[in-house]
Amino acid sequence: MTTHFYAFGSICRGEVDRSSDVDLLACITGPNPDLDTDKFSVYQHERLRSLWTEGNPFAWHLHLESRLLFSSDGVDFIASLGAPAAYKAGAEDCDKFARLFRESLDQLSQTRVNATFNLSCMFLGTRNFATCYSLWRGRPVFSRKSPMLIDDPLRVDEEAFGVLTRARVLSTRGIGDALSDEEVMLALRAVPVIQAWMSQLLAEVHR
């Protein structure tokens, strides 16, 4: 069996803070039950080749922001794949993440029982929307702060965006203090700005 381990994400950008984790990728051929899927994103080599052929955003992320840690055959597998195919799903993906934002907001408007989870999904929708838009524009940004770093940035209160970011960390890793009602309201007050920004960029990708 051939195995390649990579680091990717924030650690490769030097974008590290106390809430950061280390994203690890295992590329394998055949089964490997010893790999802990809580620690590694595990992909078969053939699946990664398919993502490259599709021009999938994850393929571009790995192409631009991964570092080889171990290779069982001495080959840098990801480097050997070259650049992924051109990204063509910008409009479709931006629609998908705008819908995730909207549906999570609808849930949050109905009940605060799962407020942290729904705010986490709103963060995911906003961040991935920005990343897909930036990739579609040919200037990809994979940072968790991508909405503020792309060519047409989201101009939103940083504290409000920080609440969304904290909700994501809380929801996925259980790290940090619980959100207060005031913080939930702060994030909600930023919604009209985020929605207007998404509408503007959606109009551009659908032209």
Side-chain angles (χ1 to χ4, degrees), residues 29-44:
T29 299
N32 188 339
D34 292 331
L35 283 173
D36 184 346
T37 55
D38 288 334
K39 296 178 180 175
F40 286 90
S41 298
V42 181
Y43 282 78
Q44 295 288 324

mmCIF file with all atom_site columns, all heavy atoms in Angstrom, residues 29-44:
data_model
loop_
_atom_site.group_PDB
_atom_site.id
_atom_site.type_symbol
_atom_site.label_atom_id
_atom_site.label_alt_id
_atom_site.label_comp_id
_atom_site.label_asym_id
_atom_site.label_entity_id
_atom_site.label_seq_id
_atom_site.pdbx_PDB_ins_code
_atom_site.Cartn_x
_atom_site.Cartn_y
_atom_site.Cartn_z
_atom_site.occupancy
_atom_site.B_iso_or_equiv
_atom_site.pdbx_formal_charge
_atom_site.auth_seq_id
_atom_site.auth_comp_id
_atom_site.auth_asym_id
_atom_site.auth_atom_id
_atom_site.pdbx_PDB_model_num
ATOM 1   N N   . THR A 1 29 ? -3.757  4.069  -0.914 1.00 0.00 ? 29 THR A N   1
ATOM 2   C CA  . THR A 1 29 ? -4.301  3.137  -1.903 1.00 0.00 ? 29 THR A CA  1
ATOM 3   C C   . THR A 1 29 ? -4.687  1.871  -1.158 1.00 0.00 ? 29 THR A C   1
ATOM 4   O O   . THR A 1 29 ? -3.836  1.243  -0.535 1.00 0.00 ? 29 THR A O   1
ATOM 5   C CB  . THR A 1 29 ? -3.265  2.808  -2.986 1.00 0.00 ? 29 THR A CB  1
ATOM 6   O OG1 . THR A 1 29 ? -2.920  4.011  -3.663 1.00 0.00 ? 29 THR A OG1 1
ATOM 7   C CG2 . THR A 1 29 ? -3.834  1.818  -3.990 1.00 0.00 ? 29 THR A CG2 1
ATOM 8   N N   . GLY A 1 30 ? -5.980  1.549  -1.176 1.00 0.00 ? 30 GLY A N   1
ATOM 9   C CA  . GLY A 1 30 ? -6.458  0.392  -0.425 1.00 0.00 ? 30 GLY A CA  1
ATOM 10  C C   . GLY A 1 30 ? -6.830  0.771  0.991  1.00 0.00 ? 30 GLY A C   1
ATOM 11  O O   . GLY A 1 30 ? -6.664  1.918  1.409  1.00 0.00 ? 30 GLY A O   1
ATOM 12  N N   . PRO A 1 31 ? -7.353  -0.183 1.764  1.00 0.00 ? 31 PRO A N   1
ATOM 13  C CA  . PRO A 1 31 ? -7.810  0.106  3.126  1.00 0.00 ? 31 PRO A CA  1
ATOM 14  C C   . PRO A 1 31 ? -6.648  0.304  4.091  1.00 0.00 ? 31 PRO A C   1
ATOM 15  O O   . PRO A 1 31 ? -5.570  -0.270 3.894  1.00 0.00 ? 31 PRO A O   1
ATOM 16  C CB  . PRO A 1 31 ? -8.612  -1.155 3.487  1.00 0.00 ? 31 PRO A CB  1
ATOM 17  C CG  . PRO A 1 31 ? -8.004  -2.239 2.655  1.00 0.00 ? 31 PRO A CG  1
ATOM 18  C CD  . PRO A 1 31 ? -7.582  -1.588 1.366  1.00 0.00 ? 31 PRO A CD  1
ATOM 19  N N   . ASN A 1 32 ? -6.881  1.150  5.091  1.00 0.00 ? 32 ASN A N   1
ATOM 20  C CA  . ASN A 1 32 ? -5.907  1.312  6.179  1.00 0.00 ? 32 ASN A CA  1
ATOM 21  C C   . ASN A 1 32 ? -6.683  1.580  7.456  1.00 0.00 ? 32 ASN A C   1
ATOM 22  O O   . ASN A 1 32 ? -6.897  2.732  7.837  1.00 0.00 ? 32 ASN A O   1
ATOM 23  C CB  . ASN A 1 32 ? -4.927  2.449  5.889  1.00 0.00 ? 32 ASN A CB  1
ATOM 24  C CG  . ASN A 1 32 ? -3.802  2.500  6.918  1.00 0.00 ? 32 ASN A CG  1
ATOM 25  O OD1 . ASN A 1 32 ? -3.949  1.968  8.030  1.00 0.00 ? 32 ASN A OD1 1
ATOM 26  N ND2 . ASN A 1 32 ? -2.683  3.096  6.557  1.00 0.00 ? 32 ASN A ND2 1
ATOM 27  N N   . PRO A 1 33 ? -7.155  0.535  8.144  1.00 0.00 ? 33 PRO A N   1
ATOM 28  C CA  . PRO A 1 33 ? -7.986  0.708  9.339  1.00 0.00 ? 33 PRO A CA  1
ATOM 29  C C   . PRO A 1 33 ? -7.234  1.335  10.499 1.00 0.00 ? 33 PRO A C   1
ATOM 30  O O   . PRO A 1 33 ? -7.866  1.748  11.489 1.00 0.00 ? 33 PRO A O   1
ATOM 31  C CB  . PRO A 1 33 ? -8.420  -0.729 9.663  1.00 0.00 ? 33 PRO A CB  1
ATOM 32  C CG  . PRO A 1 33 ? -7.404  -1.604 9.015  1.00 0.00 ? 33 PRO A CG  1
ATOM 33  C CD  . PRO A 1 33 ? -6.949  -0.881 7.790  1.00 0.00 ? 33 PRO A CD  1
ATOM 34  N N   . ASP A 1 34 ? -5.903  1.436  10.412 1.00 0.00 ? 34 ASP A N   1
ATOM 35  C CA  . ASP A 1 34 ? -5.142  2.023  11.519 1.00 0.00 ? 34 ASP A CA  1
ATOM 36  C C   . ASP A 1 34 ? -5.214  3.546  11.525 1.00 0.00 ? 34 ASP A C   1
ATOM 37  O O   . ASP A 1 34 ? -4.877  4.186  12.521 1.00 0.00 ? 34 ASP A O   1
ATOM 38  C CB  . ASP A 1 34 ? -3.664  1.596  11.436 1.00 0.00 ? 34 ASP A CB  1
ATOM 39  C CG  . ASP A 1 34 ? -3.491  0.111  11.698 1.00 0.00 ? 34 ASP A CG  1
ATOM 40  O OD1 . ASP A 1 34 ? -4.325  -0.456 12.441 1.00 0.00 ? 34 ASP A OD1 1
ATOM 41  O OD2 . ASP A 1 34 ? -2.550  -0.478 11.147 1.00 0.00 ? 34 ASP A OD2 1
ATOM 42  N N   . LEU A 1 35 ? -5.637  4.152  10.410 1.00 0.00 ? 35 LEU A N   1
ATOM 43  C CA  . LEU A 1 35 ? -5.697  5.617  10.361 1.00 0.00 ? 35 LEU A CA  1
ATOM 44  C C   . LEU A 1 35 ? -6.886  6.129  11.167 1.00 0.00 ? 35 LEU A C   1
ATOM 45  O O   . LEU A 1 35 ? -8.010  5.637  11.020 1.00 0.00 ? 35 LEU A O   1
ATOM 46  C CB  . LEU A 1 35 ? -5.819  6.086  8.911  1.00 0.00 ? 35 LEU A CB  1
ATOM 47  C CG  . LEU A 1 35 ? -4.531  6.048  8.091  1.00 0.00 ? 35 LEU A CG  1
ATOM 48  C CD1 . LEU A 1 35 ? -4.837  6.378  6.643  1.00 0.00 ? 35 LEU A CD1 1
ATOM 49  C CD2 . LEU A 1 35 ? -3.508  7.038  8.659  1.00 0.00 ? 35 LEU A CD2 1
ATOM 50  N N   . ASP A 1 36 ? -6.627  7.102  12.023 1.00 0.00 ? 36 ASP A N   1
ATOM 51  C CA  . ASP A 1 36 ? -7.667  7.714  12.851 1.00 0.00 ? 36 ASP A CA  1
ATOM 52  C C   . ASP A 1 36 ? -8.341  8.823  12.044 1.00 0.00 ? 36 ASP A C   1
ATOM 53  O O   . ASP A 1 36 ? -7.730  9.859  11.783 1.00 0.00 ? 36 ASP A O   1
ATOM 54  C CB  . ASP A 1 36 ? -7.029  8.277  14.122 1.00 0.00 ? 36 ASP A CB  1
ATOM 55  C CG  . ASP A 1 36 ? -8.059  8.846  15.092 1.00 0.00 ? 36 ASP A CG  1
ATOM 56  O OD1 . ASP A 1 36 ? -9.221  9.037  14.678 1.00 0.00 ? 36 ASP A OD1 1
ATOM 57  O OD2 . ASP A 1 36 ? -7.686  9.109  16.242 1.00 0.00 ? 36 ASP A OD2 1
ATOM 58  N N   . THR A 1 37 ? -9.595  8.598  11.658 1.00 0.00 ? 37 THR A N   1
ATOM 59  C CA  . THR A 1 37 ? -10.296 9.593  10.836 1.00 0.00 ? 37 THR A CA  1
ATOM 60  C C   . THR A 1 37 ? -10.681 10.842 11.631 1.00 0.00 ? 37 THR A C   1
ATOM 61  O O   . THR A 1 37 ? -11.138 11.816 11.047 1.00 0.00 ? 37 THR A O   1
ATOM 62  C CB  . THR A 1 37 ? -11.548 8.973  10.190 1.00 0.00 ? 37 THR A CB  1
ATOM 63  O OG1 . THR A 1 37 ? -12.369 8.402  11.222 1.00 0.00 ? 37 THR A OG1 1
ATOM 64  C CG2 . THR A 1 37 ? -11.167 7.892  9.191  1.00 0.00 ? 37 THR A CG2 1
ATOM 65  N N   . ASP A 1 38 ? -10.505 10.797 12.961 1.00 0.00 ? 38 ASP A N   1
ATOM 66  C CA  . ASP A 1 38 ? -10.677 12.027 13.748 1.00 0.00 ? 38 ASP A CA  1
ATOM 67  C C   . ASP A 1 38 ? -9.464  12.937 13.591 1.00 0.00 ? 38 ASP A C   1
ATOM 68  O O   . ASP A 1 38 ? -9.543  14.143 13.868 1.00 0.00 ? 38 ASP A O   1
ATOM 69  C CB  . ASP A 1 38 ? -10.876 11.695 15.224 1.00 0.00 ? 38 ASP A CB  1
ATOM 70  C CG  . ASP A 1 38 ? -12.249 11.085 15.495 1.00 0.00 ? 38 ASP A CG  1
ATOM 71  O OD1 . ASP A 1 38 ? -13.180 11.357 14.716 1.00 0.00 ? 38 ASP A OD1 1
ATOM 72  O OD2 . ASP A 1 38 ? -12.372 10.338 16.481 1.00 0.00 ? 38 ASP A OD2 1
ATOM 73  N N   . LYS A 1 39 ? -8.338  12.369 13.177 1.00 0.00 ? 39 LYS A N   1
ATOM 74  C CA  . LYS A 1 39 ? -7.112  13.155 13.025 1.00 0.00 ? 39 LYS A CA  1
ATOM 75  C C   . LYS A 1 39 ? -6.788  13.443 11.559 1.00 0.00 ? 39 LYS A C   1
ATOM 76  O O   . LYS A 1 39 ? -6.166  14.466 11.259 1.00 0.00 ? 39 LYS A O   1
ATOM 77  C CB  . LYS A 1 39 ? -5.934  12.417 13.668 1.00 0.00 ? 39 LYS A CB  1
ATOM 78  C CG  . LYS A 1 39 ? -6.059  12.239 15.175 1.00 0.00 ? 39 LYS A CG  1
ATOM 79  C CD  . LYS A 1 39 ? -4.871  11.467 15.732 1.00 0.00 ? 39 LYS A CD  1
ATOM 80  C CE  . LYS A 1 39 ? -5.024  11.292 17.240 1.00 0.00 ? 39 LYS A CE  1
ATOM 81  N NZ  . LYS A 1 39 ? -3.935  10.435 17.812 1.00 0.00 ? 39 LYS A NZ  1
ATOM 82  N N   . PHE A 1 40 ? -7.179  12.535 10.673 1.00 0.00 ? 40 PHE A N   1
ATOM 83  C CA  . PHE A 1 40 ? -6.821  12.666 9.258  1.00 0.00 ? 40 PHE A CA  1
ATOM 84  C C   . PHE A 1 40 ? -8.067  12.775 8.381  1.00 0.00 ? 40 PHE A C   1
ATOM 85  O O   . PHE A 1 40 ? -9.072  12.091 8.627  1.00 0.00 ? 40 PHE A O   1
ATOM 86  C CB  . PHE A 1 40 ? -6.052  11.427 8.778  1.00 0.00 ? 40 PHE A CB  1
ATOM 87  C CG  . PHE A 1 40 ? -4.638  11.329 9.267  1.00 0.00 ? 40 PHE A CG  1
ATOM 88  C CD1 . PHE A 1 40 ? -4.352  10.680 10.463 1.00 0.00 ? 40 PHE A CD1 1
ATOM 89  C CD2 . PHE A 1 40 ? -3.591  11.874 8.539  1.00 0.00 ? 40 PHE A CD2 1
ATOM 90  C CE1 . PHE A 1 40 ? -3.045  10.574 10.914 1.00 0.00 ? 40 PHE A CE1 1
ATOM 91  C CE2 . PHE A 1 40 ? -2.286  11.780 8.983  1.00 0.00 ? 40 PHE A CE2 1
ATOM 92  C CZ  . PHE A 1 40 ? -2.011  11.121 10.172 1.00 0.00 ? 40 PHE A CZ  1
ATOM 93  N N   . SER A 1 41 ? -7.989  13.611 7.359  1.00 0.00 ? 41 SER A N   1
ATOM 94  C CA  . SER A 1 41 ? -8.907  13.495 6.227  1.00 0.00 ? 41 SER A CA  1
ATOM 95  C C   . SER A 1 41 ? -8.304  12.414 5.331  1.00 0.00 ? 41 SER A C   1
ATOM 96  O O   . SER A 1 41 ? -7.175  12.570 4.859  1.00 0.00 ? 41 SER A O   1
ATOM 97  C CB  . SER A 1 41 ? -9.011  14.815 5.459  1.00 0.00 ? 41 SER A CB  1
ATOM 98  O OG  . SER A 1 41 ? -9.539  15.826 6.287  1.00 0.00 ? 41 SER A OG  1
ATOM 99  N N   . VAL A 1 42 ? -9.032  11.324 5.127  1.00 0.00 ? 42 VAL A N   1
ATOM 100 C CA  . VAL A 1 42 ? -8.480  10.174 4.431  1.00 0.00 ? 42 VAL A CA  1
ATOM 101 C C   . VAL A 1 42 ? -9.087  10.073 3.029  1.00 0.00 ? 42 VAL A C   1
ATOM 102 O O   . VAL A 1 42 ? -10.315 10.032 2.878  1.00 0.00 ? 42 VAL A O   1
ATOM 103 C CB  . VAL A 1 42 ? -8.750  8.870  5.209  1.00 0.00 ? 42 VAL A CB  1
ATOM 104 C CG1 . VAL A 1 42 ? -8.134  7.675  4.477  1.00 0.00 ? 42 VAL A CG1 1
ATOM 105 C CG2 . VAL A 1 42 ? -8.188  8.966  6.630  1.00 0.00 ? 42 VAL A CG2 1
ATOM 106 N N   . TYR A 1 43 ? -8.230  10.080 2.037  1.00 0.00 ? 43 TYR A N   1
ATOM 107 C CA  . TYR A 1 43 ? -8.676  9.991  0.636  1.00 0.00 ? 43 TYR A CA  1
ATOM 108 C C   . TYR A 1 43 ? -7.883  8.912  -0.079 1.00 0.00 ? 43 TYR A C   1
ATOM 109 O O   . TYR A 1 43 ? -6.657  8.804  0.104  1.00 0.00 ? 43 TYR A O   1
ATOM 110 C CB  . TYR A 1 43 ? -8.455  11.321 -0.098 1.00 0.00 ? 43 TYR A CB  1
ATOM 111 C CG  . TYR A 1 43 ? -9.489  12.372 0.207  1.00 0.00 ? 43 TYR A CG  1
ATOM 112 C CD1 . TYR A 1 43 ? -9.438  13.085 1.404  1.00 0.00 ? 43 TYR A CD1 1
ATOM 113 C CD2 . TYR A 1 43 ? -10.510 12.647 -0.687 1.00 0.00 ? 43 TYR A CD2 1
ATOM 114 C CE1 . TYR A 1 43 ? -10.386 14.051 1.699  1.00 0.00 ? 43 TYR A CE1 1
ATOM 115 C CE2 . TYR A 1 43 ? -11.459 13.617 -0.406 1.00 0.00 ? 43 TYR A CE2 1
ATOM 116 C CZ  . TYR A 1 43 ? -11.397 14.308 0.785  1.00 0.00 ? 43 TYR A CZ  1
ATOM 117 O OH  . TYR A 1 43 ? -12.338 15.261 1.071  1.00 0.00 ? 43 TYR A OH  1
ATOM 118 N N   . GLN A 1 44 ? -8.575  8.152  -0.912 1.00 0.00 ? 44 GLN A N   1
ATOM 119 C CA  . GLN A 1 44 ? -7.893  7.244  -1.818 1.00 0.00 ? 44 GLN A CA  1
ATOM 120 C C   . GLN A 1 44 ? -7.224  8.068  -2.934 1.00 0.00 ? 44 GLN A C   1
ATOM 121 O O   . GLN A 1 44 ? -7.735  9.129  -3.335 1.00 0.00 ? 44 GLN A O   1
ATOM 122 C CB  . GLN A 1 44 ? -8.904  6.262  -2.443 1.00 0.00 ? 44 GLN A CB  1
ATOM 123 C CG  . GLN A 1 44 ? -9.554  5.322  -1.444 1.00 0.00 ? 44 GLN A CG  1
ATOM 124 C CD  . GLN A 1 44 ? -8.584  4.260  -0.944 1.00 0.00 ? 44 GLN A CD  1
ATOM 125 O OE1 . GLN A 1 44 ? -7.746  3.789  -1.698 1.00 0.00 ? 44 GLN A OE1 1
ATOM 126 N NE2 . GLN A 1 44 ? -8.707  3.882  0.330  1.00 0.00 ? 44 GLN A NE2 1
#
